[in-house]
Short mmCIF file of all heavy atoms in Angstrom, two decimals:
data_model
loop_
_atom_site.label_atom_id
_atom_site.label_comp_id
_atom_site.label_asym_id
_atom_site.label_seq_id
_atom_site.Cartn_x
_atom_site.Cartn_y
_atom_site.Cartn_z
N GLU A 450 -10.65 7.00 7.77
CA GLU A 450 -11.14 7.45 9.07
C GLU A 450 -12.03 8.68 8.98
O GLU A 450 -13.01 8.82 9.71
CB GLU A 450 -9.96 7.73 10.01
CG GLU A 450 -9.26 6.49 10.55
CD GLU A 450 -8.10 6.07 9.67
OE1 GLU A 450 -8.07 6.48 8.48
OE2 GLU A 450 -7.23 5.32 10.15
N ILE A 451 -11.71 9.62 8.09
CA ILE A 451 -12.49 10.84 7.99
C ILE A 451 -13.88 10.55 7.46
O ILE A 451 -14.89 11.05 7.98
CB ILE A 451 -11.76 11.86 7.09
CG1 ILE A 451 -10.49 12.36 7.80
CG2 ILE A 451 -12.67 13.03 6.75
CD1 ILE A 451 -9.64 13.28 6.95
N VAL A 452 -13.98 9.71 6.43
CA VAL A 452 -15.28 9.36 5.88
C VAL A 452 -16.13 8.62 6.92
O VAL A 452 -17.31 8.89 7.10
CB VAL A 452 -15.12 8.50 4.61
CG1 VAL A 452 -16.49 8.14 4.03
CG2 VAL A 452 -14.28 9.24 3.57
N THR A 453 -15.49 7.69 7.63
CA THR A 453 -16.20 6.92 8.66
C THR A 453 -16.71 7.83 9.78
O THR A 453 -17.85 7.70 10.23
CB THR A 453 -15.27 5.84 9.25
OG1 THR A 453 -14.84 4.97 8.19
CG2 THR A 453 -15.99 5.03 10.30
N ALA A 454 -15.84 8.76 10.23
CA ALA A 454 -16.24 9.68 11.30
C ALA A 454 -17.38 10.59 10.85
O ALA A 454 -18.31 10.88 11.62
CB ALA A 454 -15.04 10.50 11.75
N LEU A 455 -17.32 11.06 9.60
CA LEU A 455 -18.41 11.89 9.09
C LEU A 455 -19.72 11.11 9.02
O LEU A 455 -20.79 11.65 9.34
CB LEU A 455 -18.05 12.44 7.72
CG LEU A 455 -17.24 13.74 7.68
CD1 LEU A 455 -16.82 14.07 6.26
CD2 LEU A 455 -18.03 14.90 8.28
N MET A 456 -19.64 9.86 8.59
CA MET A 456 -20.87 9.05 8.53
C MET A 456 -21.45 8.86 9.92
O MET A 456 -22.68 8.88 10.10
CB MET A 456 -20.57 7.70 7.87
CG MET A 456 -21.80 6.80 7.76
SD MET A 456 -23.17 7.57 6.85
CE MET A 456 -22.58 7.34 5.17
N ASP A 457 -20.61 8.69 10.91
CA ASP A 457 -21.09 8.56 12.29
C ASP A 457 -21.77 9.86 12.74
O ASP A 457 -22.83 9.82 13.37
CB ASP A 457 -19.93 8.20 13.21
CG ASP A 457 -20.39 7.97 14.64
OD1 ASP A 457 -21.24 7.07 14.86
OD2 ASP A 457 -19.92 8.68 15.55
N ALA A 458 -21.15 11.01 12.40
CA ALA A 458 -21.74 12.30 12.77
C ALA A 458 -23.08 12.51 12.07
O ALA A 458 -24.04 13.00 12.67
CB ALA A 458 -20.77 13.43 12.42
N VAL A 459 -23.15 12.15 10.81
CA VAL A 459 -24.40 12.26 10.05
C VAL A 459 -25.48 11.39 10.67
O VAL A 459 -26.63 11.82 10.87
CB VAL A 459 -24.17 11.87 8.58
CG1 VAL A 459 -25.49 11.65 7.85
CG2 VAL A 459 -23.36 12.94 7.87
N THR A 460 -25.14 10.15 11.00
CA THR A 460 -26.11 9.22 11.58
C THR A 460 -26.66 9.75 12.90
O THR A 460 -27.87 9.70 13.15
CB THR A 460 -25.47 7.84 11.78
OG1 THR A 460 -24.95 7.36 10.53
CG2 THR A 460 -26.48 6.84 12.31
N LYS A 461 -25.78 10.27 13.76
CA LYS A 461 -26.23 10.79 15.06
C LYS A 461 -27.22 11.94 14.87
O LYS A 461 -28.24 12.02 15.57
CB LYS A 461 -25.03 11.27 15.87
CG LYS A 461 -24.18 10.14 16.42
CD LYS A 461 -23.00 10.69 17.20
CE LYS A 461 -22.14 9.56 17.76
NZ LYS A 461 -20.95 10.08 18.48
N ARG A 462 -26.96 12.82 13.92
CA ARG A 462 -27.84 13.96 13.72
C ARG A 462 -29.18 13.55 13.12
O ARG A 462 -30.23 14.05 13.53
CB ARG A 462 -27.13 15.00 12.84
CG ARG A 462 -26.07 15.78 13.62
CD ARG A 462 -24.99 16.36 12.74
NE ARG A 462 -24.06 17.16 13.53
CZ ARG A 462 -23.10 16.66 14.30
NH1 ARG A 462 -22.96 15.35 14.42
NH2 ARG A 462 -22.29 17.45 14.99
N VAL A 463 -29.14 12.65 12.16
CA VAL A 463 -30.39 12.19 11.55
C VAL A 463 -31.24 11.44 12.57
O VAL A 463 -32.46 11.61 12.63
CB VAL A 463 -30.10 11.32 10.32
CG1 VAL A 463 -31.37 10.67 9.80
CG2 VAL A 463 -29.45 12.17 9.22
N ARG A 464 -30.62 10.61 13.38
CA ARG A 464 -31.38 9.88 14.40
C ARG A 464 -31.95 10.84 15.46
O ARG A 464 -33.06 10.63 15.97
CB ARG A 464 -30.50 8.82 15.07
CG ARG A 464 -30.05 7.73 14.13
CD ARG A 464 -31.22 6.91 13.58
NE ARG A 464 -30.78 6.09 12.46
CZ ARG A 464 -31.03 6.36 11.20
NH1 ARG A 464 -31.80 7.40 10.88
NH2 ARG A 464 -30.57 5.59 10.23
N ALA A 465 -31.19 11.88 15.79
CA ALA A 465 -31.70 12.87 16.75
C ALA A 465 -32.91 13.59 16.16
O ALA A 465 -33.90 13.85 16.86
CB ALA A 465 -30.61 13.87 17.10
#
Side-chain angles (χ1 to χ4, degrees):
E450 285 92 340
I451 291 175
V452 180
T453 301
L455 274 173
M456 180 57 78
D457 183 59
V459 166
T460 304
K461 287 179 180 178
R462 284 156 177 77
V463 172
R464 295 296 167 256

